[in-house]
Amino acid sequence: MTSATAADYGWIRSSSSPFKYALEVGYTLTLVRGVSPTELLKVAGAEPRGTCEGLDELIEQHSEILFGYEDWPESFLAGAFTVPGEGGDWTLALEFGGDLGTRPSIMKALSTGTRAVSHSSNGGKPMDFFHWYEDGELRTTFEWPADRTGSTPDELNAVMREVGLDPTGDEDPDVDRKAAVFALAERLTGVRVREELLVEAEYRTGEVPEEPAEEWKSITIDITDADGERTYVQLRPDQL
């Protein structure tokens, strides 16, 4: 296991950081051991789009897809490449505004027989997530370090403290939580994400369809007013 801490990822906040765009618009970064970029995109249901040279081109292609839709985007671009890490080769997948690394169905499939780690942000809103899967099982996930779930929510507590995250929720104001999450991902994968790694990589790309919204069958309105009178109504789509 590496000795990475939040201090090793201070570069993500630099005004000249190649990761600045990702933090502004939202991103998901996923790492999977022993699965090729082509396999990862296939599991995600992506339509292949070839390759692009470097992070700037990935952002450019992402923007082209995004602005190609008049309304809400129906897909997003994911770029993936191979990188060495603990126990062999890993695939690093990066997307902007997408959710490949946060969909349970995809992460369970990708991590079957191996390990998968992802972290994400939705951009301007303070919602950041971390997920660790092992052999199809969600072991630890959290938005805030103190609010962990999964089959082994406390297994990473010691490592979290070492990278700068406090599992009790008593955060150090001098520690960048996002940088600490990068370090936590490195501790689990052995993959050091450097500026030049993202900037210079050749990304194999694919267009991943957005997850369809679940069709709802009914909605229940259950209200009790100040006088204790209850109103209970169940509505179906054909009644609206």
Side-chain angles (χ1 to χ4, degrees), residues 100-188:
L100 182 158
T102 64
R103 293 186 194 176
S105 59
I106 293 177
M107 291 296 283
K108 287 178 181 178
L110 288 174
S111 65
T112 298
T114 188
R115 173 176 291 183
V117 176
S118 72
H119 52 89
S120 61
S121 171
N122 67 338
K125 299 179 181 179
M127 293 178 65
D128 303 89
F129 296 94
F130 175 87
H131 305 278
W132 165 37
Y133 281 81
E134 199 82 22
D135 195 16
E137 180 180 56
L138 177 58
R139 299 287 295 274
T140 305
T141 181
F142 60 84
E143 179 181 2
W144 299 99
D147 299 323
R148 301 175 307 283
T149 57
S151 62
T152 57
D154 299 329
E155 186 168 345
L156 299 180
N157 286 7
V159 180
M160 289 174 69
R161 290 188 178 93
E162 291 175 8
V163 301
L165 297 169
D166 191 333
T168 68
D170 187 15
E171 297 188 33
D172 185 339
D174 295 326
V175 174
D176 183 336
R177 184 157 52 90
K178 176 57 65 179
V181 166
F182 265 84
L184 181 60
E186 180 179 335
R187 292 290 190 104
L188 287 168

Side-chain angles (χ1 to χ4, degrees), residues 26-226:
Y27 79 93
T28 301
L29 191 153
T30 305
L31 291 158
V32 186
R33 182 175 55 205
V35 175
S36 71
T38 299
E39 290 174 308
L40 183 147
L41 293 171
K42 183 178 180 180
V43 170
E47 179 182 347
R49 287 179 56 98
T51 60
C52 65
E53 298 291 337
L55 185 60
D56 287 344
E57 189 174 335
L58 183 68
I59 292 173
E60 182 180 339
Q61 289 191 19
H62 156 76
S63 299
E64 289 176 359
I65 291 174
L66 185 65
F67 293 115
Y69 292 102
E70 294 182 1
D71 299 312
W72 190 259
E74 297 176 4
S75 63
F76 59 87
L77 185 71
F81 61 93
T82 301
V83 61
E86 184 178 315
D89 284 341
W90 292 68
T91 286
L92 185 156
L94 180 62
E95 355 138 11
F96 307 110
D99 60 357
L100 182 158
T102 64
R103 293 186 194 176
S105 59
I106 293 177
M107 291 296 283
K108 287 178 181 178
L110 288 174
S111 65
T112 298
T114 188
R115 173 176 291 183
V117 176
S118 72
H119 52 89
S120 61
S121 171
N122 67 338
K125 299 179 181 179
M127 293 178 65
D128 303 89
F129 296 94
F130 175 87
H131 305 278
W132 165 37
Y133 281 81
E134 199 82 22
D135 195 16
E137 180 180 56
L138 177 58
R139 299 287 295 274
T140 305
T141 181
F142 60 84
E143 179 181 2
W144 299 99
D147 299 323
R148 301 175 307 283
T149 57
S151 62
T152 57
D154 299 329
E155 186 168 345
L156 299 180
N157 286 7
V159 180
M160 289 174 69
R161 290 188 178 93
E162 291 175 8
V163 301
L165 297 169
D166 191 333
T168 68
D170 187 15
E171 297 188 33
D172 185 339
D174 295 326
V175 174
D176 183 336
R177 184 157 52 90
K178 176 57 65 179
V181 166
F182 265 84
L184 181 60
E186 180 179 335
R187 292 290 190 104
L188 287 168
T189 65
V191 176
R192 171 65 60 91
V193 180
R194 296 182 173 87
E195 293 181 71
E196 58 270 21
L197 179 69
L198 298 179
V199 170
E200 299 172 3
E202 179 180 88
Y203 294 82
R204 182 164 296 280
T205 61
E207 197 168 339
V208 182
E210 287 283 0
E211 196 167 22
E214 292 186 8
E215 183 178 351
W216 62 282
K217 297 180 179 180
S218 67
I219 184 171
T220 300
I221 301 173
D222 189 354
I223 302 173
T224 302
D225 64 21

